[in-house]
Amino acid sequence: MNVVTPFEGIGASVKRKEDLRFLSGRGQYTDDINRPGQTYAAILRSPHAHARIASIDTAAASAMPGVVAVFTGADMPDLGGIPCGWQIHNKDGSPMAEPMHPVLAVGKARFVGDAVAVVIGETRAQARDAAEAIAVEYEPLPAVATTEAALAPGAPLVHDGVAGNLCYDWHIGDRAVNEAAFTKAAKVVELELVNNRLVPNAMEPRAAIGDFDRTTDEYTLYTTSQNPHVIRLLMGAFVLHIPEHKLRVVAPDVGGGFGSKIFHYAEEAIVTWAAGKIGRPVKWTAERTESFITDAHGRDHVTKARLALDADGKFLALHVHTLANMGAYLSTFATSVPTYLYATLLAGVYTTPTVYAEVKAVFTNTVPVDAYRGAGRPEATFLLERLVDVAAAETGIDRLEIRRRNFIPNDAFPYQTPVALQYDSGDYTATLEQALKTADWAGFEARRAEAKARGRLRGIGISTYIEACGIAPSAVVGSLGARAGLYEVGTIRVHPTGSVTVLTGTHSHGQGHETTLAQLVTDRLGVPLAQVDIVHGDTAKIPFGMGTYGSRSLAVGGSAMVKAMDKIVAKARRIAAHLMEASVEDVEFDRGTFRVAGTDKTKSWGEIALTAYVPHNYPIEELEPGLDETAFYDPKNFTYPGGCHICEVEIEPETGITTVINFTAVDDVGRVINPMIVEGQVQGGVAQGIGQALLESCVYDGEGQLVSASFMDYQMPRANDLPPVSVATHTTLCTHNPLGVKGCGEVGAIGSPPAVINAVVDALKEYGVRHIEMPATAAKIWGIINASRPAMAAE
Amino acid sequence: MYDFEYHKPGSLADAVKLLSADPDARPISGGQTLLPALKHRLNKPTSVVDLSGIAELKGIKKEGNKLVIGALAKHFEVATSPEVKAAIPALAQMAGTIGDTQVRNRGTIGGSVANNDPAADYPSAVLGLNATIVTDKRRIAADDFFQGMFTTALEPGELLVAIEFPIPEKAGYAKMRNPASRYVMAGAFIAKTGGAVRVAINGAGPGVFRQTEMETALAANWSPDAVANIKQDADGLNSDIHGSAEYRAHLVTVMAKRAIAAAG
Ligand SMILES: Cc1cc2nc3c(=O)[nH]c(=O)nc-3n(C[C@H](O)[C@H](O)[C@H](O)COP(=O)(O)OP(=O)(O)OC[C@H]3O[C@@H](n4cnc5c(N)ncnc54)[C@H](O)[C@@H]3O)c2cc1C
């Protein structure tokens, strides 16, 4: 053993260790777990978007066959509300409105899908049958589904105590400076746009099992979560009042999250609490319809923006006004998404000297809205990259040229934006030029002409974007209202024979961490990949962790591992020095071999590991036995991946159908650990971005009913909706983490939607289209073409 | 799913007996429509009568100038049947575009036609080809069979046994799929049989219907140009989050042009 395996280290496209398990159906997901004596929970949900609950009669349900228990909100007087993890302050400094989010509705139901009662049954079917037998007397109230309706004077109140349905009215930037800059503008470009609401639709529906051991007073929750320690903290401390040492949270294999499985959901508290009440395990698994009406939705912004330019097309100032839909209750990170994850990105890759943004977050009678792949950054990018294209069209400056003129130059890093962030590195020109070449931008007009000859409208669109991820420095987010730290934890456990178990506080739910993180160990310690296992997702095994979101697992979690490996190597060198009778300073370590500098005296990794655990010849007075180290890593800054996406589309004017012909992504994700996994992450993100831009439409009607509540009406992107995606990277290293990595999980979903819409608008150029809202469906595009037909004919 | 009894009769007579004895019993063929409805608890039959073991409902054969397709013929069988491909290629092509591979290997023509989903494919072929529906009791002309959204001439307990398709000189089908469900947003099945032209439109309205203005135009001039300027009245067409009635009306003309082009 201890063979150096360079092809498995950093930069190697090794196959994913987890895929044998996933592809052969041997994954172990929450619903695959069954506990002895397990019961099943069925949740009765409000069919009304807004209703007073006059009474709930559970007598008939309780008498049904197989019913173990029926609970309503009235049975849970001691439970806390489901907490929000980020407190935003209003312009005047007062805290946001934070109404109680009861585990089961009390007094009022506030959205279609709000949990009203739960039946615990011997079987799933019996629980469901009984749930239907619960008689709830609702008094329906008028509902509001959109931010506009919720803010209208006299609108019905979602929460009686929240005036005007306003959660907060927040701003960032210096308004006076900003307004002054507009007075000097040669040109002001305005744009109003919507960032469409999305349903996350992870392949695996949410599920949870609560278990209680009365001999030890210990609770266990198995749940579909991206961050089990965070759930333990939120649910234990705030909702159920169970101390950490009596609460274990396990997030086993999880089939996709995209953000929707970050948050603490009522069902987790329900099954855990109910397991204690009835003394038996309780399982709940969402049906697909429940996923649509209870998984936190994404995006849902309505924005008005103004961009001031000088006579040369240099951006002078940006003013943004956004309404953000929070849904009926504040989900875990909901409040941070349209503020610190959005408005702080409004400088984009440009030198705009002043940015002012104000954001109103609004309660509505809809499913709570929270982070969804990209979270805030796609909203910022879509706004900016559409606005820049409109500015190009209205100033007559070429859309590449206007970007080049405004790019933050390479020598300006570290670059302080006017909206709090300091970018550490980037090369926007390089990613742009590489993408232009790959996409053959220069040859596009010939392709447009060729398409026209076939009766097709061809368009090309670009987006040059930046995002902030690798979240986040605890002190910074703490000063901005976060109620948690955002460091990460890694344990490197070297076993006596030299193999390694890594405990990480991040969580893999499709991203391939079991491979990527193992490659870090192989690269640093020289242990073959097969001898490195990554363990995640269990609070009983992992010291602590903040989980996976905001593309933080490698940048923050990987960095914690590096710190822990530093400790391992330092200790191992001391052991090696002892064995080789050399001084520690003279012992060099390089991927598995310890050497006394300048000699041929060496010790292998395995010998040192064994010595650490069999300390017969050991500096026992100075050094503890064992080789097992833990590190907490708190990042110094966010990381700033960026790049350029180019999309080419063809529209069939007769039907309005858009076909994405090809898509080019050149991203700077920092150092690339596994190029194959990066490519997969970017492709997946681009698929979701194309979905948002062209297909996915979450629609509520005026009564607050979710019209697109199934795959019959909600269009997920499918394989044949997607083009070949060319993925390449251009690396500038992150300057402040030990790996130089930035993150790749969200770039695809952040950079792509404006590239797609810019391409659609370009294709529709001859129809005078200035902007088209997402999703640009066939019906919508045909409507535009059809409406302008008489005008064109008249010309 | 609610509890129900399950029966699997071996003959048409037994199936009819079971169904006529219980007004709340429901036949099931491929289950691709009924099972999702049961799972969503939208349906509460006392018993489900599985038709899949009934030999009389099976088979595809050419009888003179007719193609007779048993109710249990799966979409996959129709799509790949040499008889169908030779006699009515447009029908085979249509069957090959219904749903996905799983659906085509379970779903049946009898189930689809009996169900008469306005967004389904087959009803337009049945109407466009002027087929005859054969039940356990009688023969029903296509024009009398489809009676609007999910409604047919079938009486409670009456079973669709086979469909007889006259073999056309020419036939073509084109559809635009609903972007989400991939059922039909607007489709046109157009056939010339014994010199007579029929244009059947599915997806666009609350039920499959004939576009007689197009039929007249095509009888005079069998070409896409003949229908290119015929505007379908949007009145009464479906309008939903996927498209307005005006859009669907427009698509009717586009699909009709394409169907004729496909028919050759
Ligand atoms: C994912 C998916 C996608 C689909 N996409 C399409 C599509 O693109 N186009 C399309 O046309 N369809 C589509 N379908 C529907 C599919 O074609 C169904 O198979 C078909 O509509 C019903 O046929 P079945 O044999 O499955 O009928 P079943 O579900 O078994 O029955 C349907 C109904 O007909 C009744 N019935 C069944 N057989 C008889 C009979 N012999 N006599 C009288 N009544 C009977 C049943 O009682 C029931 O009411 C899709 C289905 C799914 C699940």
Side-chain angles (χ1 to χ4, degrees):
Chain A
M1 65 166 281
N2 295 348
V3 181
V4 178
T5 49
F7 293 109
E8 295 181 340
I10 290 176
S13 283
V14 292
K15 294 226 171 95
R16 305 202 324 168
K17 285 162 74 94
E18 47 270 82
D19 280 349
L20 177 61
R21 172 166 106 246
F22 293 151
L23 298 179
S24 61
R26 288 184 202 125
Q28 187 72 4
Y29 297 87
T30 299
D31 192 57
D32 294 325
I33 296 169
N34 292 297
R35 305 293 301 155
Q38 179 174 288
T39 62
Y40 297 84
I43 293 168
L44 181 68
R45 301 187 179 278
S46 172
H48 302 287
H50 198 190
R52 207 159 290 289
I53 301 171
S55 68
I56 306 178
D57 183 351
T58 60
S62 302
M64 302 261 295
V67 173
V68 179
V70 183
F71 300 110
T72 68
D75 297 311
M76 304 173 162
D78 301 330
L79 300 197
I82 296 180
C84 176
W86 202 305
Q87 188 180 46
I88 300 296
H89 288 83
N90 292 303
K91 286 174 181 164
D92 66 7
S94 59
M96 67 186 190
E98 202 171 350
M100 167 85 167
H101 180 182
V103 171
L104 288 172
V106 176
K108 245 169 71 157
R110 293 186 172 85
F111 66 97
V112 173
D114 205 355
V116 172
V118 59
V119 178
I120 316 292
E122 296 289 347
T123 68
R124 222 175 274 233
Q126 286 172 325
R128 260 204 85 170
D129 285 347
E132 281 178 22
I134 297 173
V136 184
E137 211 185 314
Y138 292 104
E139 290 164 7
L141 299 166
V144 285
T146 63
T147 48
E148 191 191 359
L151 290 177
L157 293 185
V158 179
H159 297 274
D160 297 342
V162 180
N165 294 313
L166 189 65
C167 175
Y168 56 75
D169 180 5
W170 171 92
H171 67 164
I172 191 169
D174 189 324
R175 182 171 206 151
V177 169
N178 191 264
E179 277 170 7
F182 271 91
T183 63
K184 302 198 189 79
K187 171 97 189 159
V188 175
V189 176
E190 301 192 15
L191 185 64
E192 284 190 38
L193 49 67
V194 172
N195 202 290
N196 47 327
R197 188 174 175 120
L198 301 168
V199 183
N201 282 318
M203 195 181 292
E204 179 206 22
R206 287 192 298 114
I209 306 169
D211 202 349
F212 177 65
D213 183 341
R214 62 173 75 252
T215 65
T216 59
D217 256 1
E218 280 173 11
Y219 289 86
T220 302
L221 167 68
Y222 302 86
T223 182
T224 48
S225 175
Q226 303 178 210
N227 34 224
H229 286 88
V230 175
I231 301 305
R232 185 179 66 171
L233 182 69
L234 294 174
M235 183 177 84
F238 295 95
V239 185
L240 300 184
H241 315 306
I242 304 168
E244 280 93 336
H245 71 295
K246 294 294 186 193
L247 176 58
R248 174 184 174 198
V249 178
V250 183
D253 284 334
V254 172
F258 313 111
S260 71
K261 291 173 183 166
I262 300 172
F263 324 121
H264 174 39
Y265 287 95
E267 293 83 3
E268 295 170 321
I270 291 170
V271 296
T272 308
W273 175 85
K277 281 277 164 200
I278 67 167
R280 290 173 65 185
V282 180
K283 176 189 272 190
W284 169 81
T285 306
E287 299 189 359
R288 186 54 68 178
T289 307
E290 279 184 298
S291 301
F292 271 95
I293 60 171
T294 68
D295 291 1
H297 291 176
R299 317 249 151 82
D300 201 340
H301 281 195
V302 179
T303 295
K304 286 184 189 160
R306 284 185 288 139
L307 178 67
L309 299 96
D310 72 11
D312 297 327
K314 285 281 279 179
F315 305 155
L316 297 177
L318 174 67
H319 181 113
V320 173
H321 172 91
T322 293
L323 302 180
N325 197 335
M326 293 285 102
Y329 299 103
L330 295 181
S331 175
T332 308
F333 283 132
T335 50
S336 65
V337 177
T339 49
Y340 295 107
L341 297 178
Y342 163 67
T344 53
L345 269 302
L346 288 170
V349 290
Y350 309 113
T351 54
T352 319
T354 158
V355 176
Y356 175 79
E358 53 188 347
V359 178
K360 286 193 167 103
V362 182
F363 290 106
T364 62
N365 294 110
T366 65
V367 178
V369 181
D370 205 327
Y372 170 70
R373 201 169 190 170
R377 293 147 288 162
E379 294 90 312
T381 304
F382 184 65
L383 167 65
L384 273 177
E385 291 304 295
R386 281 272 49 245
L387 195 54
V388 169
D389 257 31
V390 171
E394 294 184 358
T395 56
I397 303 171
D398 174 77
R399 45 198 168 137
L400 303 182
E401 177 56 24
I402 200 169
R403 286 178 167 86
R404 289 188 180 114
R405 276 186 210 175
N406 286 284
F407 273 166
I408 297 164
N410 288 358
D411 59 9
F413 295 101
Y415 178 80
Q416 179 61 51
T417 74
V419 270
L421 299 179
Q422 192 188 76
Y423 304 161
D424 62 335
S425 65
D427 184 346
Y428 311 130
T429 305
T431 45
L432 171 71
E433 298 305 331
Q434 191 177 332
L436 292 175
K437 201 174 295 169
T438 307
D440 185 23
W441 183 278
F444 174 72
E445 287 307 328
R447 299 195 290 282
R448 193 200 300 268
E450 183 277 329
K452 185 145 195 164
R454 282 185 283 114
R456 295 285 195 277
L457 304 167
R458 193 154 171 139
I460 193 165
I462 191 163
S463 117
T464 48
Y465 75 94
I466 190 170
E467 64 131 329
C469 63
I471 51 178
S474 296
V476 173
V477 296
S479 72
L480 302 177
R483 286 165 167 158
L486 285 169
Y487 50 83
E488 201 41 76
V489 187
T491 296
I492 305 291
R493 179 166 296 161
V494 181
H495 301 291
T497 55
S499 66
V500 176
T501 297
V502 177
L503 311 178
T504 175
T506 65
H507 187 276
S508 187
H509 31 279
Q511 299 90 337
H513 295 173
E514 291 170 35
T515 308
T516 307
L517 297 183
Q519 285 180 262
L520 301 182
V521 176
T522 295
D523 196 80
R524 180 77 194 276
L525 303 183
V527 179
L529 204 62
Q531 293 186 31
V532 183
D533 267 0
I534 307 297
V535 177
H536 59 88
D538 187 343
T539 61
K541 293 181 184 165
I542 318 298
F544 204 74
M546 297 308 296
T548 287
Y549 38 83
S551 304
R552 67 192 301 279
S553 300
L554 188 58
V556 192
S559 294
M561 284 172 57
V562 170
K563 267 188 85 176
M565 284 194 283
D566 287 345
K567 295 188 192 179
I568 291 281
V569 170
K571 184 169 180 182
R573 282 175 64 212
R574 291 179 68 180
I575 300 170
H578 176 85
L579 291 182
M580 296 190 284
E581 295 174 345
S583 79
V584 182
E585 296 74 51
D586 291 340
V587 175
E588 295 170 340
F589 175 66
D590 183 32
R591 299 189 201 199
T593 305
F594 298 85
R595 176 186 305 275
V596 179
T599 75
D600 56 4
K601 254 194 192 172
T602 62
K603 284 284 169 195
S604 70
W605 172 257
E607 286 173 280
I608 301 305
L610 191 65
T611 305
Y613 287 92
V614 187
H616 294 166
N617 175 12
Y618 198 83
I620 203 79
E621 294 296 324
E622 312 148 22
L623 211 56
E624 295 170 15
L627 205 47
D628 185 332
E629 298 287 351
T630 295
F632 282 54
Y633 174 81
D634 204 285
K636 299 187 187 70
N637 191 352
F638 293 82
T639 59
Y640 300 97
C644 178
H645 288 186
I646 295 177
C647 178
E648 210 163 315
V649 301
E650 263 184 32
I651 294 171
E652 181 182 73
E654 213 172 29
T655 56
I657 292 176
T658 299
T659 306
V660 183
I661 305 293
N662 56 53
F663 196 98
T664 305
V666 178
D667 301 297
D668 178 358
V669 300
R671 191 186 308 284
V672 173
I673 308 300
N674 184 318
M676 177 196 75
I677 288 179
V678 169
E679 184 175 353
Q681 287 291 303
V682 174
Q683 284 189 346
V686 168
Q688 278 174 307
I690 291 174
Q692 166 158 33
L694 295 179
L695 315 172
E696 297 183 45
S697 184
C698 176
V699 182
Y700 277 95
D701 70 12
E703 268 81 62
Q705 291 289 335
L706 182 60
V707 182
S708 53
S710 84
F711 292 129
M712 292 294 281
D713 287 304
Y714 188 86
Q715 187 187 359
M716 289 296 284
R718 299 176 214 199
N720 70 343
D721 294 315
L722 300 171
V725 179
S726 156
V727 178
T729 53
H730 173 93
T731 301
T732 64
L733 295 179
C734 169
T735 61
H736 57 79
N737 66 42
L739 289 164
V741 298
K742 297 185 178 180
C744 69
E746 296 164 293
V747 292
I750 293 168
S752 58
V756 178
I757 294 298
N758 286 344
V760 170
V761 170
D762 183 51
L764 295 172
K765 211 155 71 164
E766 61 189 86
Y767 296 93
V769 173
R770 188 172 183 265
H771 176 63
I772 182 164
E773 297 290 10
M774 302 189 288
T777 61
K780 205 181 273 176
I781 289 174
W782 177 79
I784 289 170
I785 291 173
N786 189 47
S788 66
R789 229 174 225 139
M792 291 191 71
E795 273 169 18
Chain B
M1 211 180 269
Y2 298 106
D3 254 358
F4 53 78
E5 295 272 321
Y6 172 82
H7 303 286
K8 190 171 179 185
S11 72
L12 186 57
D14 286 350
V16 169
K17 204 180 294 164
L18 283 164
L19 288 164
S20 52
D22 177 1
D24 292 324
R26 290 288 295 277
I28 189 165
S29 291
Q32 295 304 288
T33 293
L34 188 56
L35 275 177
L38 294 178
K39 283 188 172 176
H40 276 106
R41 299 184 165 223
L42 297 171
N43 241 301
K44 200 175 179 175
T46 47
S47 68
V48 165
V49 179
D50 183 349
L51 306 181
S52 66
I54 302 174
E56 294 112 299
L57 303 183
K58 295 185 182 167
I60 298 177
K61 48 189 181 295
K62 191 166 169 229
E63 289 178 359
N65 61 352
K66 286 185 310 195
L67 194 61
V68 183
I69 301 183
L72 279 179
K74 297 187 168 80
H75 309 336
F76 173 78
E77 293 173 62
V78 175
T80 54
S81 151
E83 289 81 7
V84 181
K85 282 161 92 174
I88 319 179
L91 186 60
Q93 175 255 326
M94 165 189 276
T97 67
I98 299 174
D100 50 40
T101 306
Q102 288 86 342
V103 169
R104 290 194 288 276
N105 278 283
R106 297 284 322 172
T108 68
I109 192 169
S112 177
V113 172
N115 191 49
N116 191 20
D117 185 327
D121 287 282
Y122 275 136
S124 65
V126 171
L127 189 62
L129 288 163
N130 196 15
T132 300
I133 312 295
V134 182
T135 77
D136 59 304
K137 297 196 181 72
R138 56 190 169 136
R139 301 167 56 79
I140 310 171
D143 282 322
D144 302 326
F145 184 78
F146 299 108
Q147 302 184 346
M149 211 192 296
F150 299 106
T151 312
T152 69
L154 288 176
E155 279 159 16
E158 186 173 8
L159 283 177
L160 199 160
V161 173
I163 305 177
E164 294 179 2
F165 291 97
I167 294 171
E169 288 101 68
K170 285 174 179 216
Y173 178 57
K175 66 173 163 181
M176 162 113 172
R177 291 172 201 262
N178 174 306
S181 72
R182 312 252 164 141
Y183 277 67
V184 187
M185 277 272 278
F189 193 102
I190 304 185
K192 188 192 265 185
T193 316
V197 176
R198 289 168 73 102
V199 176
I201 304 299
N202 55 345
V208 61
F209 64 90
R210 285 173 63 186
Q211 221 299 356
T212 48
E213 199 185 337
M214 289 185 183
E215 291 179 355
T216 310
L218 288 168
N221 171 19
W222 179 267
S223 85
D225 287 345
V227 297
N229 291 317
I230 297 181
K231 286 202 173 18
Q232 165 67 39
D233 187 356
D235 238 21
L237 295 193
N238 300 336
S239 193
D240 57 26
I241 60 172
H242 305 291
S244 61
E246 291 68 33
Y247 181 50
R248 284 185 166 85
H250 164 77
L251 289 176
V252 166
T253 305
V254 176
M255 295 306 139
K257 276 195 311 190
R258 293 182 182 180
I260 296 157

